[in-house]
PDB file of all heavy atoms in Angstrom:
ATOM      1  N   GLY B  68     -40.011  22.497  42.517  1.00  0.00           N
ATOM      2  CA  GLY B  68     -38.698  22.151  42.897  1.00  0.00           C
ATOM      3  C   GLY B  68     -38.591  20.982  43.841  1.00  0.00           C
ATOM      4  O   GLY B  68     -37.519  20.259  43.810  1.00  0.00           O
ATOM      5  N   ALA B  69     -39.644  20.634  44.442  1.00  0.00           N
ATOM      6  CA  ALA B  69     -39.626  19.456  45.354  1.00  0.00           C
ATOM      7  C   ALA B  69     -39.630  18.141  44.603  1.00  0.00           C
ATOM      8  O   ALA B  69     -39.188  17.104  45.212  1.00  0.00           O
ATOM      9  CB  ALA B  69     -40.701  19.339  46.286  1.00  0.00           C
ATOM     10  N   SER B  70     -40.095  18.134  43.348  1.00  0.00           N
ATOM     11  CA  SER B  70     -40.265  16.807  42.638  1.00  0.00           C
ATOM     12  C   SER B  70     -39.555  16.660  41.327  1.00  0.00           C
ATOM     13  O   SER B  70     -39.417  15.644  40.769  1.00  0.00           O
ATOM     14  CB  SER B  70     -41.813  16.628  42.479  1.00  0.00           C
ATOM     15  OG  SER B  70     -42.356  17.662  41.627  1.00  0.00           O
ATOM     16  N   VAL B  71     -39.143  17.880  40.716  1.00  0.00           N
ATOM     17  CA  VAL B  71     -38.626  17.751  39.449  1.00  0.00           C
ATOM     18  C   VAL B  71     -37.379  16.932  39.155  1.00  0.00           C
ATOM     19  O   VAL B  71     -37.269  16.120  38.234  1.00  0.00           O
ATOM     20  CB  VAL B  71     -38.487  19.245  38.866  1.00  0.00           C
ATOM     21  CG1 VAL B  71     -37.380  19.894  39.543  1.00  0.00           C
ATOM     22  CG2 VAL B  71     -38.212  19.162  37.393  1.00  0.00           C
ATOM     23  N   ARG B  72     -36.521  17.028  40.211  1.00  0.00           N
ATOM     24  CA  ARG B  72     -35.231  16.147  40.068  1.00  0.00           C
ATOM     25  C   ARG B  72     -35.628  14.610  40.057  1.00  0.00           C
ATOM     26  O   ARG B  72     -35.149  13.811  39.224  1.00  0.00           O
ATOM     27  CB  ARG B  72     -34.373  16.419  41.223  1.00  0.00           C
ATOM     28  CG  ARG B  72     -33.065  15.598  41.222  1.00  0.00           C
ATOM     29  CD  ARG B  72     -32.136  16.069  42.176  1.00  0.00           C
ATOM     30  NE  ARG B  72     -31.317  17.141  41.809  1.00  0.00           N
ATOM     31  CZ  ARG B  72     -30.112  17.096  41.268  1.00  0.00           C
ATOM     32  NH1 ARG B  72     -29.617  15.928  40.972  1.00  0.00           N
ATOM     33  NH2 ARG B  72     -29.543  18.225  40.962  1.00  0.00           N
ATOM     34  N   LYS B  73     -36.512  14.305  41.017  1.00  0.00           N
ATOM     35  CA  LYS B  73     -37.000  12.841  41.022  1.00  0.00           C
ATOM     36  C   LYS B  73     -37.523  12.387  39.649  1.00  0.00           C
ATOM     37  O   LYS B  73     -37.349  11.422  39.106  1.00  0.00           O
ATOM     38  CB  LYS B  73     -37.812  12.689  42.141  1.00  0.00           C
ATOM     39  CG  LYS B  73     -38.098  11.146  42.602  1.00  0.00           C
ATOM     40  CD  LYS B  73     -39.113  11.008  43.732  1.00  0.00           C
ATOM     41  CE  LYS B  73     -38.413  11.466  45.035  1.00  0.00           C
ATOM     42  NZ  LYS B  73     -39.332  11.286  46.206  1.00  0.00           N
ATOM     43  N   VAL B  74     -38.468  13.417  39.186  1.00  0.00           N
ATOM     44  CA  VAL B  74     -39.252  12.948  37.911  1.00  0.00           C
ATOM     45  C   VAL B  74     -38.313  12.796  36.703  1.00  0.00           C
ATOM     46  O   VAL B  74     -38.281  11.747  35.924  1.00  0.00           O
ATOM     47  CB  VAL B  74     -40.225  14.080  37.637  1.00  0.00           C
ATOM     48  CG1 VAL B  74     -40.809  13.817  36.259  1.00  0.00           C
ATOM     49  CG2 VAL B  74     -41.390  14.038  38.624  1.00  0.00           C
ATOM     50  N   VAL B  75     -37.293  13.731  36.648  1.00  0.00           N
ATOM     51  CA  VAL B  75     -36.388  13.676  35.561  1.00  0.00           C
ATOM     52  C   VAL B  75     -35.412  12.418  35.678  1.00  0.00           C
ATOM     53  O   VAL B  75     -35.278  11.636  34.624  1.00  0.00           O
ATOM     54  CB  VAL B  75     -35.490  14.984  35.517  1.00  0.00           C
ATOM     55  CG1 VAL B  75     -34.354  14.825  34.551  1.00  0.00           C
ATOM     56  CG2 VAL B  75     -36.382  16.174  35.099  1.00  0.00           C
ATOM     57  N   ASN B  76     -35.024  12.129  36.916  1.00  0.00           N
ATOM     58  CA  ASN B  76     -34.214  10.982  37.004  1.00  0.00           C
ATOM     59  C   ASN B  76     -34.897   9.673  36.746  1.00  0.00           C
ATOM     60  O   ASN B  76     -34.380   8.754  36.179  1.00  0.00           O
ATOM     61  CB  ASN B  76     -33.495  10.989  38.448  1.00  0.00           C
ATOM     62  CG  ASN B  76     -32.352  12.008  38.519  1.00  0.00           C
ATOM     63  OD1 ASN B  76     -31.748  12.328  37.584  1.00  0.00           O
ATOM     64  ND2 ASN B  76     -32.151  12.452  39.817  1.00  0.00           N
ATOM     65  N   ARG B  77     -36.115   9.615  37.252  1.00  0.00           N
ATOM     66  CA  ARG B  77     -36.979   8.402  36.950  1.00  0.00           C
ATOM     67  C   ARG B  77     -37.099   8.218  35.277  1.00  0.00           C
ATOM     68  O   ARG B  77     -37.021   7.136  34.828  1.00  0.00           O
ATOM     69  CB  ARG B  77     -38.318   8.692  37.568  1.00  0.00           C
ATOM     70  CG  ARG B  77     -38.422   8.170  38.952  1.00  0.00           C
ATOM     71  CD  ARG B  77     -39.802   8.245  39.437  1.00  0.00           C
ATOM     72  NE  ARG B  77     -39.946   8.002  40.802  1.00  0.00           N
ATOM     73  CZ  ARG B  77     -40.945   8.409  41.642  1.00  0.00           C
ATOM     74  NH1 ARG B  77     -41.802   9.225  41.057  1.00  0.00           N
ATOM     75  NH2 ARG B  77     -40.995   8.114  42.838  1.00  0.00           N
ATOM     76  N   LEU B  78     -37.458   9.426  34.692  1.00  0.00           N
ATOM     77  CA  LEU B  78     -37.616   9.331  33.290  1.00  0.00           C
ATOM     78  C   LEU B  78     -36.395   8.811  32.638  1.00  0.00           C
ATOM     79  O   LEU B  78     -36.509   8.007  31.676  1.00  0.00           O
ATOM     80  CB  LEU B  78     -37.892  10.721  32.798  1.00  0.00           C
ATOM     81  CG  LEU B  78     -39.451  11.242  32.826  1.00  0.00           C
ATOM     82  CD1 LEU B  78     -39.598  12.633  32.373  1.00  0.00           C
ATOM     83  CD2 LEU B  78     -40.217  10.342  31.819  1.00  0.00           C
ATOM     84  N   ARG B  79     -35.152   9.339  32.993  1.00  0.00           N
ATOM     85  CA  ARG B  79     -33.993   8.994  32.335  1.00  0.00           C
ATOM     86  C   ARG B  79     -33.572   7.509  32.669  1.00  0.00           C
ATOM     87  O   ARG B  79     -33.072   6.791  31.795  1.00  0.00           O
ATOM     88  CB  ARG B  79     -32.863   9.953  32.764  1.00  0.00           C
ATOM     89  CG  ARG B  79     -33.090  11.205  32.192  1.00  0.00           C
ATOM     90  CD  ARG B  79     -32.146  12.240  32.938  1.00  0.00           C
ATOM     91  NE  ARG B  79     -30.738  12.074  32.420  1.00  0.00           N
ATOM     92  CZ  ARG B  79     -29.625  12.816  32.980  1.00  0.00           C
ATOM     93  NH1 ARG B  79     -29.851  13.403  34.063  1.00  0.00           N
ATOM     94  NH2 ARG B  79     -28.459  12.561  32.564  1.00  0.00           N
ATOM     95  N   ARG B  80     -33.943   6.978  33.774  1.00  0.00           N
ATOM     96  CA  ARG B  80     -33.605   5.713  34.084  1.00  0.00           C
ATOM     97  C   ARG B  80     -34.490   4.643  33.349  1.00  0.00           C
ATOM     98  O   ARG B  80     -34.151   3.604  32.700  1.00  0.00           O
ATOM     99  CB  ARG B  80     -33.895   5.429  35.530  1.00  0.00           C
ATOM    100  CG  ARG B  80     -32.610   5.606  36.387  1.00  0.00           C
ATOM    101  CD  ARG B  80     -32.830   4.884  37.670  1.00  0.00           C
ATOM    102  NE  ARG B  80     -33.840   5.281  38.492  1.00  0.00           N
ATOM    103  CZ  ARG B  80     -33.965   6.228  39.351  1.00  0.00           C
ATOM    104  NH1 ARG B  80     -32.906   7.012  39.522  1.00  0.00           N
ATOM    105  NH2 ARG B  80     -34.896   6.520  40.022  1.00  0.00           N
ATOM    106  N   ALA B  81     -35.967   5.027  33.135  1.00  0.00           N
ATOM    107  CA  ALA B  81     -36.911   4.271  32.605  1.00  0.00           C
ATOM    108  C   ALA B  81     -36.859   4.337  31.076  1.00  0.00           C
ATOM    109  O   ALA B  81     -37.139   3.389  30.462  1.00  0.00           O
ATOM    110  CB  ALA B  81     -38.373   4.551  33.060  1.00  0.00           C
ATOM    111  N   LEU B  82     -36.339   5.434  30.545  1.00  0.00           N
ATOM    112  CA  LEU B  82     -36.472   5.671  29.103  1.00  0.00           C
ATOM    113  C   LEU B  82     -35.099   6.152  28.649  1.00  0.00           C
ATOM    114  O   LEU B  82     -34.916   7.377  28.210  1.00  0.00           O
ATOM    115  CB  LEU B  82     -37.516   6.738  28.733  1.00  0.00           C
ATOM    116  CG  LEU B  82     -38.935   6.400  29.466  1.00  0.00           C
ATOM    117  CD1 LEU B  82     -39.892   7.772  29.429  1.00  0.00           C
ATOM    118  CD2 LEU B  82     -39.638   5.352  28.593  1.00  0.00           C
ATOM    119  N   PRO B  83     -34.217   5.245  28.505  1.00  0.00           N
ATOM    120  CA  PRO B  83     -32.816   5.767  28.164  1.00  0.00           C
ATOM    121  C   PRO B  83     -32.676   6.174  26.769  1.00  0.00           C
ATOM    122  O   PRO B  83     -31.760   6.950  26.420  1.00  0.00           O
ATOM    123  CB  PRO B  83     -31.950   4.488  28.479  1.00  0.00           C
ATOM    124  CG  PRO B  83     -32.804   3.332  28.471  1.00  0.00           C
ATOM    125  CD  PRO B  83     -34.169   3.926  28.956  1.00  0.00           C
ATOM    126  N   ASP B  84     -33.618   5.796  25.883  1.00  0.00           N
ATOM    127  CA  ASP B  84     -33.713   6.226  24.540  1.00  0.00           C
ATOM    128  C   ASP B  84     -34.416   7.542  24.246  1.00  0.00           C
ATOM    129  O   ASP B  84     -34.695   7.878  23.058  1.00  0.00           O
ATOM    130  CB  ASP B  84     -34.182   5.046  23.581  1.00  0.00           C
ATOM    131  CG  ASP B  84     -35.587   4.577  24.116  1.00  0.00           C
ATOM    132  OD1 ASP B  84     -35.941   4.757  25.366  1.00  0.00           O
ATOM    133  OD2 ASP B  84     -36.367   4.117  23.182  1.00  0.00           O
ATOM    134  N   PHE B  85     -34.896   8.106  25.301  1.00  0.00           N
ATOM    135  CA  PHE B  85     -35.539   9.464  25.245  1.00  0.00           C
ATOM    136  C   PHE B  85     -34.706  10.564  25.579  1.00  0.00           C
ATOM    137  O   PHE B  85     -33.890  10.458  26.330  1.00  0.00           O
ATOM    138  CB  PHE B  85     -36.848   9.461  26.156  1.00  0.00           C
ATOM    139  CG  PHE B  85     -37.935   8.742  25.663  1.00  0.00           C
ATOM    140  CD1 PHE B  85     -38.039   7.442  25.353  1.00  0.00           C
ATOM    141  CD2 PHE B  85     -39.153   9.616  25.550  1.00  0.00           C
ATOM    142  CE1 PHE B  85     -39.157   6.875  24.874  1.00  0.00           C
ATOM    143  CE2 PHE B  85     -40.430   9.010  25.018  1.00  0.00           C
ATOM    144  CZ  PHE B  85     -40.334   7.600  24.817  1.00  0.00           C
ATOM    145  N   ASP B  86     -34.963  11.633  24.892  1.00  0.00           N
ATOM    146  CA  ASP B  86     -34.375  12.907  25.368  1.00  0.00           C
ATOM    147  C   ASP B  86     -35.331  13.567  26.267  1.00  0.00           C
ATOM    148  O   ASP B  86     -36.595  13.411  26.027  1.00  0.00           O
ATOM    149  CB  ASP B  86     -34.058  13.858  24.263  1.00  0.00           C
ATOM    150  CG  ASP B  86     -32.836  13.541  23.515  1.00  0.00           C
ATOM    151  OD1 ASP B  86     -31.954  12.998  24.131  1.00  0.00           O
ATOM    152  OD2 ASP B  86     -32.619  14.038  22.339  1.00  0.00           O
ATOM    153  N   VAL B  87     -34.904  14.274  27.308  1.00  0.00           N
ATOM    154  CA  VAL B  87     -35.773  14.829  28.233  1.00  0.00           C
ATOM    155  C   VAL B  87     -35.605  16.355  28.236  1.00  0.00           C
ATOM    156  O   VAL B  87     -34.417  16.772  28.145  1.00  0.00           O
ATOM    157  CB  VAL B  87     -35.540  14.302  29.655  1.00  0.00           C
ATOM    158  CG1 VAL B  87     -36.552  15.130  30.592  1.00  0.00           C
ATOM    159  CG2 VAL B  87     -35.770  12.925  29.726  1.00  0.00           C
ATOM    160  N   ILE B  88     -36.665  17.012  28.072  1.00  0.00           N
ATOM    161  CA  ILE B  88     -36.536  18.534  28.143  1.00  0.00           C
ATOM    162  C   ILE B  88     -37.527  19.142  29.269  1.00  0.00           C
ATOM    163  O   ILE B  88     -38.618  18.663  29.324  1.00  0.00           O
ATOM    164  CB  ILE B  88     -36.757  19.272  26.824  1.00  0.00           C
ATOM    165  CG1 ILE B  88     -36.477  20.754  27.037  1.00  0.00           C
ATOM    166  CG2 ILE B  88     -38.098  19.021  26.423  1.00  0.00           C
ATOM    167  CD1 ILE B  88     -36.257  21.506  25.700  1.00  0.00           C
ATOM    168  N   VAL B  89     -36.942  19.928  30.138  1.00  0.00           N
ATOM    169  CA  VAL B  89     -37.811  20.552  31.115  1.00  0.00           C
ATOM    170  C   VAL B  89     -38.122  22.004  30.686  1.00  0.00           C
ATOM    171  O   VAL B  89     -37.223  22.733  30.222  1.00  0.00           O
ATOM    172  CB  VAL B  89     -37.028  20.655  32.511  1.00  0.00           C
ATOM    173  CG1 VAL B  89     -37.907  21.368  33.608  1.00  0.00           C
ATOM    174  CG2 VAL B  89     -36.698  19.207  32.975  1.00  0.00           C
ATOM    175  N   ILE B  90     -39.392  22.253  30.665  1.00  0.00           N
ATOM    176  CA  ILE B  90     -39.851  23.674  30.400  1.00  0.00           C
ATOM    177  C   ILE B  90     -40.244  24.422  31.638  1.00  0.00           C
ATOM    178  O   ILE B  90     -41.245  23.997  32.304  1.00  0.00           O
ATOM    179  CB  ILE B  90     -41.113  23.679  29.440  1.00  0.00           C
ATOM    180  CG1 ILE B  90     -40.861  22.631  28.255  1.00  0.00           C
ATOM    181  CG2 ILE B  90     -41.410  25.091  28.969  1.00  0.00           C
ATOM    182  CD1 ILE B  90     -39.827  23.098  27.277  1.00  0.00           C
ATOM    183  N   ASP B  91     -39.406  25.301  32.168  1.00  0.00           N
ATOM    184  CA  ASP B  91     -39.675  26.038  33.262  1.00  0.00           C
ATOM    185  C   ASP B  91     -40.551  27.252  32.951  1.00  0.00           C
ATOM    186  O   ASP B  91     -40.094  28.184  32.357  1.00  0.00           O
ATOM    187  CB  ASP B  91     -38.423  26.398  33.937  1.00  0.00           C
ATOM    188  CG  ASP B  91     -38.619  27.438  34.977  1.00  0.00           C
ATOM    189  OD1 ASP B  91     -39.445  27.141  35.885  1.00  0.00           O
ATOM    190  OD2 ASP B  91     -37.897  28.506  35.166  1.00  0.00           O
ATOM    191  N   ASP B  92     -41.705  27.237  33.484  1.00  0.00           N
ATOM    192  CA  ASP B  92     -42.627  28.254  33.072  1.00  0.00           C
ATOM    193  C   ASP B  92     -42.585  29.433  34.028  1.00  0.00           C
ATOM    194  O   ASP B  92     -43.573  29.796  34.753  1.00  0.00           O
ATOM    195  CB  ASP B  92     -44.117  27.669  32.972  1.00  0.00           C
ATOM    196  CG  ASP B  92     -45.126  28.672  32.469  1.00  0.00           C
ATOM    197  OD1 ASP B  92     -44.738  29.624  31.703  1.00  0.00           O
ATOM    198  OD2 ASP B  92     -46.264  28.307  32.584  1.00  0.00           O
ATOM    199  N   GLY B  93     -41.402  29.991  34.316  1.00  0.00           N
ATOM    200  CA  GLY B  93     -41.310  31.207  35.082  1.00  0.00           C
ATOM    201  C   GLY B  93     -41.390  30.883  36.552  1.00  0.00           C
ATOM    202  O   GLY B  93     -41.959  31.747  37.358  1.00  0.00           O
ATOM    203  N   SER B  94     -40.752  29.773  36.940  1.00  0.00           N
ATOM    204  CA  SER B  94     -40.824  29.399  38.451  1.00  0.00           C
ATOM    205  C   SER B  94     -40.214  30.484  39.266  1.00  0.00           C
ATOM    206  O   SER B  94     -39.115  31.108  38.885  1.00  0.00           O
ATOM    207  CB  SER B  94     -40.175  28.015  38.611  1.00  0.00           C
ATOM    208  OG  SER B  94     -40.819  27.024  38.040  1.00  0.00           O
ATOM    209  N   THR B  95     -40.656  30.594  40.589  1.00  0.00           N
ATOM    210  CA  THR B  95     -40.097  31.485  41.374  1.00  0.00           C
ATOM    211  C   THR B  95     -39.320  30.776  42.604  1.00  0.00           C
ATOM    212  O   THR B  95     -38.821  31.502  43.435  1.00  0.00           O
ATOM    213  CB  THR B  95     -41.167  32.399  42.008  1.00  0.00           C
ATOM    214  OG1 THR B  95     -42.348  31.564  42.606  1.00  0.00           O
ATOM    215  CG2 THR B  95     -41.735  33.321  41.102  1.00  0.00           C
ATOM    216  N   ASP B  96     -39.337  29.464  42.541  1.00  0.00           N
ATOM    217  CA  ASP B  96     -38.509  28.778  43.572  1.00  0.00           C
ATOM    218  C   ASP B  96     -37.263  28.187  42.887  1.00  0.00           C
ATOM    219  O   ASP B  96     -36.789  28.791  41.803  1.00  0.00           O
ATOM    220  CB  ASP B  96     -39.373  27.629  44.244  1.00  0.00           C
ATOM    221  CG  ASP B  96     -39.802  26.610  43.143  1.00  0.00           C
ATOM    222  OD1 ASP B  96     -39.399  26.798  42.022  1.00  0.00           O
ATOM    223  OD2 ASP B  96     -40.335  25.555  43.549  1.00  0.00           O
ATOM    224  N   ASP B  97     -36.640  27.198  43.467  1.00  0.00           N
ATOM    225  CA  ASP B  97     -35.471  26.779  42.837  1.00  0.00           C
ATOM    226  C   ASP B  97     -35.641  25.540  42.005  1.00  0.00           C
ATOM    227  O   ASP B  97     -34.603  24.660  41.822  1.00  0.00           O
ATOM    228  CB  ASP B  97     -34.535  26.279  44.042  1.00  0.00           C
ATOM    229  CG  ASP B  97     -35.061  25.108  44.931  1.00  0.00           C
ATOM    230  OD1 ASP B  97     -36.381  24.771  44.733  1.00  0.00           O
ATOM    231  OD2 ASP B  97     -34.399  24.455  45.609  1.00  0.00           O
TER     232      ASP B  97
END
Side-chain angles (χ1 to χ4, degrees):
Chain B
S70 60
V71 66
R72 177 176 280 268
K73 197 181 282 183
V74 169
V75 169
N76 285 334
R77 275 185 187 153
L78 276 171
R79 293 167 73 190
R80 272 200 304 271
L82 308 162
D84 53 333
F85 274 61
D86 280 339
V87 178
I88 183 162
V89 175
I90 312 292
D91 170 45
D92 192 13
S94 294
T95 51
D96 66 356
D97 64 342

